[in-house]
Structure formats: structure tokens, C-alpha cells
Amino acid sequence: MSAIADAAPGQGGRWTGPLDPKPPASPNPAEVAERLENIWGDAPGLRGWFGTVDHKTIGVRYMITSFVFLILGGLEALVMRIQLAQPNATTLSPEQYNQLFSLHGVTMIFLYAMPVLSGFSNYLWPLMLGSRDMAFPRLNALSYWLFLAAGIFLYASFPLGAAPDGGWFGYVPNTAREYSPGPNIDVYCLGLIFLGISTTVGAANFVVTLLRMRAPGMSVNRLPIIIWGTLTASVANLFAVPAVSLACLMLWLDRNHGTHFYDIAGGGQPLLWQHLFWLFGHPWVYAIVLPAMGMVSDALPVHCRRPLVGYTLVATATVATMVVGFGVWLHHMFATGLPVLALSFFSAASFVIAIPSAVSVFSWIATIYTGRVRLTVPFLFFTSVILLFVIGGVSGVMTASLAFDWQLTDTYFIVAHLHYVLIGINLFAVVGAIYHWLPKMSGRMMDERLGRWVFGFMFIGFNLAFLPMHWLGLIGMPRRVWTYGADMGFSATNLVVSIGAFVFATGILLFLVNIATALRSGRPAGPDPWGGPTLEWAIPSPPPVYNFAIIPLVATRHPLWEDQLDEGSERSQLASGFLLDNGKETLGVTPLDGEPDVILKMPGDSLLPFAFSVAALVLFGGLLVGSAWIAVIGGAAAIIALVVWFRPHPTPEACEKVRIYD
Amino acid sequence: MTEARTLDQTLPVHGRGQVGTAWWGMLCLFATEGILFGYLIFSYAYLGSQGYSDWPPSGPPALRLAIPATILLVGSSFVLEWARRNANRGNAGRGRIGLGITIAMGAGFMALSLKEWADKPFALADSSYSSIYFLLTGTHLAHVALGLAALIVLFAWSIAGRVGGGHEQHRALATLYWHFVDVVWLFVFLTIYVSPRMV
């Protein structure tokens, strides 16, 4: 901010004019609002529905779709728990069980955990950054349509009995043609490559959005932590996703075209799969928790009515977690017979991860301890994240130890650990975040009393289901088995686990009821029901289609708390600033300091993303059924869509005069 | 009463020169594609170092076609850069000539690569070496084909007058992508042709 005000005017056509620090003027007059509404609104009818590029619509679609997959994955888990509730049960055949646990893992990790966070970030980023949209709105729509198409591609196999059945990790040689002759693993390979395209374009969009699409004055040390989390996860995705795409391509080639990447008889190496898979898989674990940890870091302080303790440390720890996370993939391979020196190094590196994780945990605890806590439902969920994260983290440190891991690998101890981490940090954070941000998205509050019941069922059910699993693992119950004998000592504990799973599912069901009733008849929320400090709370709920009538000018980390916090004399300006209304446009800033730099003309609705996704679905369908012609038609259609996409305007736009509003 | 007023200062639309939003997006694409080749080269090295037989099984591949192909591809980057700079300065004719020569050189690279594929005594499904050889060079060739397609589209737009002097960013993206494909080729070349000669 001060940098803007202090800059000398007129350097090379760059906007450097001073802005008088006036108190916020009255908000957008109806005339401006109406014009912006016309500019930013969707086209009517189906064209608008399939062609919308509004980040809020896309974010909501992402969240709804990923919740549908969460429910599907949860139903799969419940069927498995019915099978495992008693010894020697015959509800499922071993083949059905293999498909269920594989599809459960693939669904939860690829179709729920990451997409739900993408949905949140798509919705929240421009609102928190003080922008009108993401950097590439069409790419944003594309990433959603591709995600949906890949999800349909993976799930279409299920009714045909051809769902992936080699675990979410797809280890060779178990998944080689020789041992898995059906189309199941081909669905898995192609589905993951397909989904990888969606993740990659989404990740690039987040990175560029962060670099360019912020309100003036929002320097990197003023970003909300969720931005840090999603940014870190997105950078990690850019580097990690190609590993699994390549691994899957090689497996598909091995299975369908006789190559020898993993086949030892032809000079291949089965362990190459594990290296590539975990080079991706380990960073991915952090990709699906860091944005969720960011939600806690941003929302928990609101309910503690104080800023997050140790902002800089938490932001740094977020990035550090991911950097270390790229160097520890081998700890998924301790039991594969690798040299002990390598194992020792990776064991030590895995212990190191505990340090940045602990930074976040201690920061949250300190925030609660020094805050004035309101015992709201979001607060309950966020504090439970801390507890479950600590339990999951401690069992993680245990399994980072070689000797311990050799005993416990492939037992239910590992299942317990990964569910504590993934449900604990992802799902509990997401549910808390929905209680926190749904009022912003819908304009209506969720019911607190019902919310407490939801929390009770989910928290008790979760611990009832997964805490005893540690014990099951310690006494030797292997994972991925479809049943067990009555004399093995697993029976009573398994029954408890299954009961816990159903209690947990009841909590999820109540949660959906809670959302439905809130959307229908919830109390009106107003712009800022929790008294939040960040920019999204400065605009009406639900936000207008253009987000901000006037692009705000940010001066501190907590624009809405400046009066209470007394962080110095600078004040953000929320009602006077850049008024960009010559068509669909928003402001671009310099990457580090957030100084106004360019005017960005944003694209309107377009059917191209949808068309490209359909073409990609045809391409992958053709590859799956082995029809070169179908694949070529799909590929050609995709390329045509891209060419039309990049077609330039005959005359490029020139420099524009800036209008400000004061 | 609040009202909007227009300042005398101006801001450029989309970006200054070649650095626009799409330019940053292209850097993200390079990050993810670059690391893809990193993983491919890792796979090559892993299969080579962990295998039991000689690597490559039939000795280092001949340089007879690879060297002219490399010269063509790397040279085309310089021609394209010359063309881009001329087009940006308003010399559309030189821009088109340079673009045309680049396309011809890229097509020459593809032809030499396909000829080398056809001459190989082994096929994709023969061994782990043949598999990774064709996958690594094939992935690169697919990128060349995509880059070539982009240049051809740019060429056609330029003839049709759809891209003109002010479209710096469109030219920048196509050029950057082509440079990227060339740089990647140097790593592929080092891996496939040079590294077997160093042991």
C-alpha cells in the first residue's frame, strides 16, 4: 500500500498515482452494481450452465461432486465393514472385496480428498485475495469438467464388475496382465492419467492466480494461510502428478502393448512402479492435508477471536512440510528389501517431518489458549482436527522407525494411521470449514444444535472405528484380507470397528440433513456472521457474481480487524479503489509486493472446456476398449477445441485509463 | 457522495510485452512437463542400473542420424527467435519467413527421428531397453509434434492476418514452448546417446 502511495507518478505508462487515504465511502451504488451484474452474469439457459466460468459456481460444483464421491466411497466402506463385522462372513466374494477396497481408496484419495479442497480453494481464493476471478477462468471450468469425466470413467466400470481391484496403489506384479487379466487395472491406469490432467491444469491455475490476481497491497506476508496451503499443494502437484501419470502409462503399455517396464523377465523392474508411485504418492498425502490445515489456521482464530499465533512460522512450516515431503517417498518401501543405508536415511528424513507439523499444532493450541474462545460447531471440529492430527502424527512417527514398520507394515495399524491422518486432517477440517463458510456461500447459517449432534456422532464414531484398528494391527490382523478365522482373536474388536463405522456414517447423514435444512430455512447470515478478519467477509453473503464492486486496497493481514488490532496506522480501503467496469475485467498485480500492474480482460462463458472434456472422455474410452479410431477422433476433437481456445482477437487491446472510485 | 473518476495514468491490458498471465501459465506447464522428462530419465537410469544385462543391450546407439537431427532442432530455435523479434518489431514478412523455416526444420527433425525408429533392429516390446527407448524418445517426439502444430497454427493465423504486430504474447508462448522442447531434447540426447559412451 505504502509502496503504491509513495511511488513517483508516470513511470512508463505504469499506474503510480496516489490514492488519498480516505475513510471507507458508502458501498456500491445500485447503478454500478447493476452494470457489473450484467457484465459478470452467466449466459441464460444451457449455454450458461455448461459454459459458466464463474469460480464460485465451479467451486460449488467441485464440492458437491466430491461429496457425492465421499458418500459412494463411504458406502463401499460400510459394505466392507459388514463383511468384516464377523469372522468367516460370506457377504462378499474375495473378488468383490478386492474391488471394493480398491475403489474405496481410489475414490477417497483421488475423487474426494483433493477435489473437495480444490472446490473450497476455487470458491474462496478470489474472495480472500480481493479479486474478481481466478487467473484462467476457462481452465478452471476445464479442470472441473475433466474431474467429473474422469470420475465417471472410473465409476462406469463398477456396475460392469471391472472396477480397479489392485488397491489404490496398484502394485505390480499383482496388477500385471498375468495376474490381473481383466480390464480392471486398465480402467485404473487410464482413469488416473485422465484425472491427472485435471489436477495439473487446476494446479497451474492456482499458482498463476496467486502470482497475479490479488488486491493491491496484498503482499505475500499478508496472505491467508489457506492460500499458502493450496499454493504449496499446487506446486507439489505440478511436480508430483507426472510421476504417477508416467507410472500408469508404463503399466498400461506393459499390459496392452507388451513392453517390459515392470516385467522382470524382459529386464524390467517391479520396484520402479513403487518408486514412481510413491514419488507422487507421498507428496500427495501433504497435498490433501495442507490446504485443509490452512482452513483450520484461517478459521480457528476467528472462533478464538484473535489472530493466528506465529503466522510466519506456520506459513514457513507449510512450505517446509512439502519440501521434506518430496524427500521421504522411500518410507513406503521399507519392507521391499532395499539397502539398509538408504532405509536409514529415509527413516531419519521421515522423522524430520514431525517438526513443521508440530509448528502448526502448537500454533493452533497457542491460538486457543490465548484467545477468547466461542464454543461454536466449527470450533469443535477444528479442535478435533488437532487431537486427531496428534494421534495420527504419533503413529506416523512410530511407523517412520524401521524396526517398528517391519513388524506393522500391511497390518491394520497402517490402516488406522492413514485414516487418522486423512479423515482427521482432511474430513474433519472440511466439515468444520463448511460450518464456517457455508453462511458466506449460501447466505444462511447452519443449525448449531444439530451441528453438535453431527459432531458427537462423527467424533465418537470415528474414534470407535479407527482407534481399535491400532490394536488389531498390533495383534497381527493383515490389511486387504476379505475375512478372518473365528479363533484368531480379531472378532470382538472388528465388531466394535464396524459399529463405529456406522455411527460415523450416521454423523455424515445428519450433516447432510443439516446442510439441507440450512439451505432451505437457515437463519440469514449477513455479510460477516463470525466476525472474520479476511476480505471474503467484507462483501454480502452470498457474494455477488462479480465479488467486489470495487477492488479493495489491502494494508494489513487482517483488513476487517484493523480497528481492534491496532497494527499500526495503515488502513485497508474496502469501499474506495479501482473500479473496473469497462467490460469483464479485473486487476493484476506484481507477484511479490502486490502492486497494481495490469488490467486483465477476463473471458466470458465458453462451451470449449466442456467440449474438450467430452473429447478427452472419448479419447480415453477409445484407449480403454482398444479402438484406435475412437481414440483418434477424441484426440482430434480435443486439438480442435484447443486451437479455437487460443484463437486471438484480431486487434489486441491497448492500454486503458484507470477509473477509481472514491 | 461517492463517484468514480478517471485517472490520467494508464495500465496495460493483460501484461507488458510478452509477460502476461499466459506467460506465467506456460512456466507452470514447463515445470510439470520438465519433471515428466525427469521421471522418464530416472526410469531409464533405474532400469539401466538395476538390470542384469548390458545397457544398452546392443551398444550405444549410432549418432549418424541423431547429430543432424539435433542440429536441425537446436538451430530452429535460433531461427524462430529471429522471426519472433522481427515480427515484434513490425516486420511481418521476416517473421513469416522465419516461422516457415522453423516449421521445415522441425519437420526435418521429425522425419530423421522416425527414420531412426524404423532402422532400429528392435521393437517396442523386445526388452526393457527398447521399451524405455521408444517411450522416452516417443514422448519427446509427441511434444515436437504438438509444438509443430502450434507453430503451423500460428503461421496460418499470421497469413490470415489474425495475429499481427500487437500479438506479442501469442508469439511468445509458441516460441517459448518450442525452446522448451529443444532444451528437453538436449537432455534426452545426453541420456540416450551420450551417457552409454561415458561408461
Side-chain angles (χ1 to χ4, degrees):
Chain A
M1 229 333 263
S2 62
I4 302 170
D6 295 341
Q11 293 168 341
R14 181 170 181 166
W15 188 87
T16 48
L19 266 166
D20 304 331
K22 285 180 182 167
S26 66
N28 48 313
E31 174 252 329
V32 171
E34 193 188 327
R35 187 158 70 242
L36 287 169
E37 191 88 41
N38 289 335
I39 292 170
W40 284 83
D42 288 335
L46 282 180
R47 187 176 141 54
W49 205 87
F50 286 103
T52 181
V53 292
D54 179 12
H55 73 96
K56 297 182 287 298
T57 310
I58 293 165
V60 168
R61 286 179 184 176
Y62 247 117
M63 283 187 267
I64 292 174
T65 311
S66 56
F67 254 79
V68 169
F69 283 120
L70 173 80
I71 290 162
L72 289 172
L75 291 174
E76 287 151 16
L78 290 181
V79 176
M80 283 192 281
R81 284 322 308 178
I82 291 172
Q83 164 72 15
L84 292 174
Q86 294 172 0
N88 300 316
T90 52
T91 314
L92 296 172
S93 68
E95 293 75 27
Q96 287 172 328
Y97 190 83
N98 281 350
Q99 289 192 20
L100 273 179
F101 83 70
S102 303
L103 204 57
H104 169 73
V106 168
T107 304
M108 291 307 202
I109 291 181
F110 296 107
L111 300 176
Y112 158 73
M114 186 77 212
V116 77
L117 300 179
S118 299
F120 260 101
S121 298
N122 261 320
Y123 195 99
L124 289 175
W125 267 48
L127 301 183
M128 288 182 141
L129 291 173
S131 175
R132 284 184 180 151
D133 210 332
M134 301 278 289
F136 303 111
R138 289 185 183 177
L139 215 53
N140 216 13
L142 177 67
S143 79
Y144 171 73
W145 290 121
L146 286 174
F147 156 56
L148 182 66
I152 291 171
F153 181 86
L154 279 162
Y155 259 83
S157 63
F158 194 45
L160 307 174
D165 56 359
W168 78 276
F169 36 78
Y171 288 154
V172 288
N174 189 34
T175 47
R177 176 67 80 199
E178 196 180 352
Y179 301 105
S180 183
N184 312 51
I185 300 300
D186 295 326
V187 172
Y188 170 85
C189 291
L190 295 171
L192 288 199
I193 296 172
F194 198 173
L195 201 58
I197 305 172
S198 159
T199 311
T200 301
V201 296
N205 205 356
F206 283 123
V207 173
V208 181
T209 299
L210 177 98
L211 292 171
R212 303 273 284 184
M213 313 289 286
R214 312 196 304 264
M218 185 167 278
S219 48
V220 287
N221 60 340
R222 291 174 185 159
L223 300 173
I225 298 284
I226 185 176
I227 308 278
W228 281 107
T230 311
L231 172 75
T232 308
S234 300
V235 174
N237 280 336
L238 289 179
F239 289 113
V241 169
V244 76
S245 301
L246 177 63
C248 285
L249 176 65
M250 287 175 169
L251 181 56
W252 183 77
L253 287 171
D254 267 12
R255 291 171 54 84
N256 293 280
H257 296 282
T259 54
H260 300 281
F261 295 108
Y262 306 124
D263 164 30
I264 205 122
Q269 293 294 325
L271 271 191
L272 177 60
W273 169 272
Q274 288 206 32
H275 278 295
L276 289 173
F277 186 84
W278 289 117
L279 268 165
F280 150 80
H282 196 78
W284 183 267
V285 171
Y286 298 107
I288 58 186
V289 300
L290 287 175
M293 289 169 70
M295 293 172 181
V296 178
S297 295
D298 286 330
L300 179 70
V302 177
H303 299 271
C304 299
R305 290 182 276 192
R306 62 147 298 147
L308 180 71
V309 174
Y311 169 92
T312 310
L313 281 173
V314 175
T316 315
T318 305
V319 178
T321 306
M322 192 51 91
V323 172
V324 184
F326 263 95
V328 298
W329 80 93
L330 220 70
H331 75 209
H332 294 266
M333 302 167 66
F334 280 167
T336 55
L338 292 166
V340 173
L341 182 65
L343 296 186
S344 307
F345 173 80
F346 278 89
S347 173
S350 304
F351 283 118
V352 170
I353 284 246
I355 297 169
S357 306
V359 167
S360 297
V361 167
F362 283 118
S363 147
W364 296 333
I365 293 173
T367 306
I368 296 172
Y369 186 73
T370 58
R372 290 179 297 128
V373 168
R374 287 177 297 199
L375 284 173
T376 55
V377 175
F379 178 82
L380 293 177
F381 274 99
F382 296 140
T383 42
S384 67
V385 169
I386 304 177
L387 181 68
L388 303 179
F389 187 11
V390 169
I391 298 175
V394 168
S395 59
V397 173
M398 290 158 83
T399 46
S401 151
L402 276 178
F404 203 73
D405 185 76
W406 281 339
Q407 297 302 313
L408 290 173
T409 192
D410 283 341
T411 71
Y412 264 85
F413 190 90
I414 305 298
V415 181
H417 161 68
L418 76 91
H419 281 88
Y420 262 90
V421 180
L422 293 183
I423 299 184
I425 316 179
N426 183 299
L427 184 62
F428 273 80
V430 163
V431 172
I434 288 176
Y435 278 96
H436 183 78
W437 275 295
L438 191 83
K440 173 51 62 187
M441 299 172 183
S442 69
R444 291 183 182 278
M445 301 297 288
M446 288 176 72
D447 185 62
E448 282 278 311
R449 200 146 62 116
L450 187 51
R452 281 166 212 279
W453 282 101
V454 171
F455 175 74
F457 272 99
M458 281 184 65
F459 188 77
I460 293 168
F462 173 80
N463 286 293
L464 202 59
F466 293 103
L467 208 54
M469 271 192 192
H470 291 103
W471 170 246
L472 276 177
L474 286 167
I475 62 174
M477 178 161 164
R479 63 195 283 204
R480 304 172 203 135
V481 289
W482 72 299
T483 191
Y484 51 90
D487 55 347
M488 300 175 100
F490 304 149
S491 309
T493 320
N494 264 304
L495 184 61
V496 172
V497 170
S498 292
I499 291 170
F502 277 89
V503 174
F504 185 62
T506 310
I508 297 281
L509 193 65
L510 280 179
F511 172 60
L512 297 177
V513 171
N514 200 346
I515 292 181
T517 50
L519 294 180
R520 268 183 47 182
S521 54
R523 190 160 53 82
D528 190 6
W530 307 113
T534 35
L535 288 176
E536 78 271 27
W537 304 110
I539 54 173
S541 311
V545 64
Y546 47 82
N547 295 355
F548 295 89
I550 293 133
I551 309 288
L553 299 169
V554 178
T556 64
R557 200 175 287 154
H558 306 97
L560 273 63
W561 281 0
E562 282 163 4
D563 290 336
Q564 293 107 300
L565 287 177
D566 197 24
E567 284 179 336
S569 57
E570 286 186 291
R571 290 287 178 267
S572 302
Q573 296 178 36
L574 304 177
S576 64
F578 292 86
L579 172 71
L580 299 167
D581 59 349
N582 290 320
K584 201 171 181 184
E585 53 189 27
T586 188
L587 195 67
V589 296
T590 54
L592 284 181
D593 304 323
E595 287 187 58
D597 190 40
V598 292
I599 292 175
L600 299 164
K601 297 276 184 190
M602 304 309 282
D605 290 357
S606 169
L607 293 174
L608 286 168
F610 181 73
F612 184 91
S613 306
V614 173
L617 191 57
V618 172
L619 168 65
F620 279 93
L623 292 175
L624 181 65
V625 299
S627 162
W629 277 112
I630 297 179
V632 166
I633 290 171
I639 288 175
I640 291 169
L642 276 185
V643 172
V644 180
W645 191 317
F646 282 105
R647 208 162 61 124
H649 287 288
T651 50
E653 285 114 336
C655 290
E656 285 198 3
K657 299 229 170 184
V658 181
R659 296 176 82 208
I660 65 161
Y661 194 78
D662 63 2
Chain B
M1 186 60 199
T2 60
E3 60 183 39
R5 62 189 170 91
T6 306
L7 299 179
D8 289 336
Q9 289 85 1
T10 56
L11 283 179
V13 173
H14 288 307
R16 250 169 266 287
Q18 61 176 350
V19 183
T21 310
W23 189 84
W24 292 104
M26 192 53 102
L27 294 194
C28 290
L29 183 72
F30 293 167
T32 194
E33 297 269 63
I35 202 86
L36 172 68
F37 282 97
Y39 290 128
L40 274 163
I41 290 170
F42 167 80
S43 303
Y44 175 93
Y46 189 82
L47 291 169
S49 64
Q50 304 290 311
Y52 308 111
S53 54
D54 291 339
W55 189 268
S58 46
L63 296 167
R64 193 173 55 85
L65 294 171
I67 293 220
T70 305
I71 292 170
L72 269 182
L73 195 63
V74 174
S76 72
S77 254
F78 289 95
V79 177
L80 185 61
E81 192 59 28
W82 174 81
R84 186 183 70 86
R85 289 179 185 205
N86 271 298
N88 282 353
R89 278 197 295 266
N91 195 332
R94 278 189 190 178
R96 266 174 231 154
I97 291 169
L99 195 51
I101 296 173
T102 309
I103 291 169
M105 291 170 90
F109 173 86
M110 283 198 74
L112 286 174
S113 298
L114 292 174
K115 165 85 174 125
E116 175 149 8
W117 273 17
D119 289 354
K120 284 287 173 198
F122 50 75
L124 176 70
D126 280 6
S127 68
S128 60
Y129 176 78
S130 68
S131 300
I132 191 70
Y133 167 80
F134 282 111
L135 186 63
L136 179 51
T137 53
T139 307
H140 179 263
L141 209 54
H143 281 72
V144 175
L146 209 65
L148 212 49
L151 293 181
I152 290 169
V153 169
L154 190 71
F155 191 64
W157 280 342
S158 151
I159 300 278
R162 194 167 255 280
V163 245
H167 286 102
E168 286 181 341
Q169 294 189 10
H170 272 81
R171 280 191 292 277
L173 292 190
T175 312
L176 271 177
Y177 188 77
W178 191 251
H179 292 336
F180 169 72
V181 168
D182 291 1
V183 170
V184 166
W185 171 251
L186 294 179
F187 286 93
V188 175
F189 183 80
L190 284 174
T191 306
I192 299 272
Y193 297 94
V194 178
S195 76
R197 291 182 157 77
M198 293 170 70
V199 285

